[in-house]
Amino acid sequence: MIDRAGFLRRAGTGAGALTLAELLGPAAAFAGGGGDFPTHPRWRFVFVSHDTLNPLLVATQFGAQDAAALVQCTVRWTGSAKGDAKETARALRAAIVGKADGIAVSIVEAGGFAAEVDAARSARIPLVAFNVESGTGSRRLPYIGENPYVSGSRVGAEIARLAPAGRVLLFAPREGRSWTERRLDGVIAGLGRIAKAPAVTVVRIQGSSPRELEARVAAALDHTTGVRGLFGVDGSGTLAVGSTIKRLGPKAKGLHGGGYDLLPGDLSLVADGHLDFVVDQQPYVQGFTPVLQLFLARISEGTVVPWDTETSVLLRKADVKPFLDTKSRFEGSSSRHQYPLRRE
């Protein structure tokens, strides 16, 4: 069984060392149809990620592999290991030049990949966005992933339910990315639609370690009166919020918390009541669904057009037990397929 760290090391080494031929694999051979589909080429789909070593995306890679196995196709994983938009664009261009049969790409900059999107369309390569979509206008791609503004609005409503009076602190990265800023906008808009919503203070935090981030959350709490809740808009900030509330122990009575993107092991903060909720992006679905959409676009010869799929779900204490009790490909915590899932 491959653990998450081992999978990321292997994926990171491959993403940095693959040649174009290795990236796309051998020329497409014909494969059995899979299910009731007719015999078709073994189409080669490429995922171009802005963050190839993100542990949240291990489940995305498993989802892509599983969907490809179902429809008798192949997938490759490439992109940038450090969130670099230019490096991501180069990997996208390589996939287009190499005549990939379909591409799923993280669009990290609005308008930043315009030339590549146009080139893919000219080459009649089906193209979808996954995990991040910052495109606008005619170049916006069908998107499989969390809609940050929509999920933020949902979080705003949940915050108002938990803390209908007083003040809440929203922790956002000092140098936010487009998706964390859209989440923040959604939270504030969601609160603004509720008559008795709490007052909001946005706190920008930055740190090189979880302990440093936790210290900044604690400092903001100490300097603000009447605080009823602490909430993050990214995984690091949310983990710092939950760790701070846990450390306060009885002193945190009546203090609510929540946020985004916790890894399976960190969900214990929700299960133990230190956080009231967390938004999960369903990363496995972000790999599985793009492959199916690209496959349908190919086998239907363009008469099935890829479509938007919002994947995020809000998990409360009653929802997280299955995530903690099992090891599975669906959460990226195991490479093994089992049914029933292996219990801890």
Side-chain angles (χ1 to χ4, degrees):
M1 181 172 66
I2 302 171
D3 63 15
R4 186 188 297 270
F7 186 92
L8 285 170
R9 283 195 299 270
R10 189 173 68 177
T13 301
L18 285 176
T19 65
L20 182 60
E22 290 168 331
L23 168 66
L24 293 174
F30 274 79
D36 288 333
F37 288 109
T39 298
H40 58 76
R42 188 177 287 276
W43 287 304
R44 304 161 299 161
F45 302 137
V46 177
F47 277 69
V48 181
S49 173
H50 72 296
D51 198 359
T52 58
L53 298 184
N54 187 332
L56 284 171
L57 298 182
V58 170
T60 304
Q61 296 176 64
F62 286 149
Q65 293 168 6
D66 291 346
L70 279 179
V71 295
Q72 306 275 322
C73 294
T74 65
V75 293
R76 293 289 186 273
W77 181 260
T78 187
S80 172
K82 53 188 178 182
D84 185 274
K86 292 182 179 179
E87 191 175 5
T88 307
R90 284 197 297 271
L92 176 56
R93 287 195 294 273
I96 295 167
V97 171
K99 299 182 179 179
D101 295 305
I103 301 171
V105 58
S106 301
I107 303 291
V108 292
E109 289 186 358
F113 296 174
E116 289 78 16
V117 170
D118 289 344
R121 287 174 172 169
S122 296
R124 294 187 167 280
I125 299 174
L127 200 61
V128 299
F130 79 102
N131 188 247
V132 180
E133 208 294 304
S134 301
T136 56
S138 62
R139 290 189 177 91
R140 185 187 177 278
L141 301 178
Y143 171 56
I144 299 96
E146 173 211 351
N147 182 317
Y149 188 86
V150 170
S151 72
S153 297
R154 194 182 308 139
V155 165
E158 184 71 359
I159 290 173
R161 185 185 72 81
L162 292 168
R167 179 170 297 278
V168 298
L169 304 182
L170 299 181
F171 294 94
R174 182 168 296 169
E175 298 177 1
R177 304 299 294 268
S178 62
W179 53 93
T180 58
E181 294 302 298
R182 288 167 65 197
R183 285 173 179 171
L184 184 61
D185 290 344
V187 173
I188 293 171
L191 285 167
R193 288 192 286 269
I194 297 172
K196 295 184 179 181
V200 178
T201 298
V202 176
V203 182
R204 297 285 180 175
I205 58 172
Q206 187 173 13
S208 57
S209 69
R211 182 171 294 182
E212 185 177 356
L213 286 170
E214 184 182 337
R216 296 188 185 283
V217 169
L221 178 60
D222 288 343
H223 288 86
T224 311
T225 59
V227 176
R228 295 286 309 280
L230 310 175
F231 303 92
V233 296
D234 70 341
S236 298
T238 301
L239 184 58
V241 163
S243 298
T244 299
I245 294 174
K246 180 179 179 179
R247 182 180 56 78
L248 288 172
K251 294 181 182 179
K253 185 177 180 180
L255 189 64
H256 295 282
Y260 284 83
D261 295 346
L262 294 184
L263 292 168
D266 300 324
L267 289 174
S268 59
L269 290 167
V270 183
D272 294 340
H274 305 301
L275 293 176
D276 294 276
F277 68 88
V278 67
V279 176
D280 178 43
Q281 294 190 45
Q282 295 282 280
Y284 182 92
V285 178
Q286 295 183 19
F288 194 90
T289 302
V291 171
L292 295 186
Q293 292 197 15
L294 294 171
F295 171 77
L296 289 174
R298 275 294 176 190
I299 202 163
S300 72
E301 297 186 342
T303 57
V304 175
V305 179
W307 61 96
D308 287 346
T309 305
E310 216 285 339
T311 66
S312 66
V313 293
L314 190 147
L315 303 174
R316 302 181 180 90
K317 182 175 182 177
D319 305 316
V320 300
K321 190 173 186 297
F323 295 79
L324 295 170
D325 287 352
T326 60
K327 295 284 188 182
S328 78
R329 287 171 71 85
F330 304 111
E331 284 299 300
S333 51
S334 171
S335 62
R336 185 179 301 170
H337 259 314
Q338 297 181 91
Y339 181 82
L341 299 179
R342 181 170 70 84
R343 305 292 168 180
E344 287 293 275

